[in-house]
Amino acid sequence: QEELVESGGGSVQAGGSLRLSCAASGHTSVTYYKAWFRQAPGKEREGVAVIADEGTTRYADSVKGRFTISQDNTKNTLYLQMNNLKPEDTAMYYCAAQSRFRSAWYGYFDQMRYNMWGQGTQVTVSS
């Protein structure tokens, strides 16, 4: 069974950097899109960054210019490089993957697009 496992979270001061990783294990299938989402306490889960299998990326406005999503398909690993972190970036970060064809259209940051989810890794940014 395929599984997504995040790592790399931690506590940093504002202005610092972290690199999150998401490793896929088990029988890895082809994915159409991979993404990072985050959920802060008391808030809804929101999309942060998306990468297509061919490499096209999309970002939420709140992280543009600070976060970079990338993938290494030879290692079945997804990354999120986070620079110039702000206290408002504090959240649980989840990786997600779409490995099933969807006949209906879902937005790139719509959770309904993704059928695989990791357990999350905590990022805390202090001021």
Side-chain angles (χ1 to χ4, degrees):
Q1 183 174 347
E2 195 166 4
E3 184 182 35
L4 300 179
V5 179
E6 302 96 335
S7 61
S11 297
V12 295
Q13 289 191 325
S17 298
L18 284 173
R19 188 194 195 201
L20 306 184
S21 298
C22 173
S25 61
H27 175 69
T28 54
S29 55
V30 174
T31 57
Y32 297 94
Y33 292 92
K34 302 182 189 71
W36 288 97
F37 285 76
R38 67 185 181 186
Q39 187 168 19
K43 294 188 177 181
E44 293 187 355
R45 190 174 296 189
E46 63 175 357
V48 173
V50 176
I51 187 166
D53 188 57
E54 35 74 21
T56 302
T57 58
R58 292 170 174 85
Y59 297 93
D61 288 343
S62 59
V63 305
K64 278 181 183 176
R66 300 188 299 122
F67 290 12
T68 303
I69 187 171
S70 62
Q71 61 188 351
D72 184 338
N73 290 331
T74 64
K75 297 181 179 179
N76 293 318
T77 302
L78 178 71
Y79 302 100
L80 185 67
Q81 177 67 43
M82 305 186 295
N83 297 327
N84 191 21
L85 283 161
K86 304 176 180 180
E88 51 264 42
D89 295 319
T90 295
M92 185 71 78
Y93 282 71
Y94 300 89
C95 65
Q98 178 197 354
S99 63
R100 296 176 186 166
F101 174 76
R102 301 293 194 189
S103 57
W105 169 257
Y106 295 102
Y108 298 108
F109 293 124
D110 189 333
Q111 297 180 57
M112 292 295 293
R113 170 182 287 273
Y114 302 94
N115 59 291
M116 296 176 56
W117 292 86
Q119 294 300 307
T121 185
Q122 178 68 37
V123 171
T124 303
V125 185
S126 58
S127 57

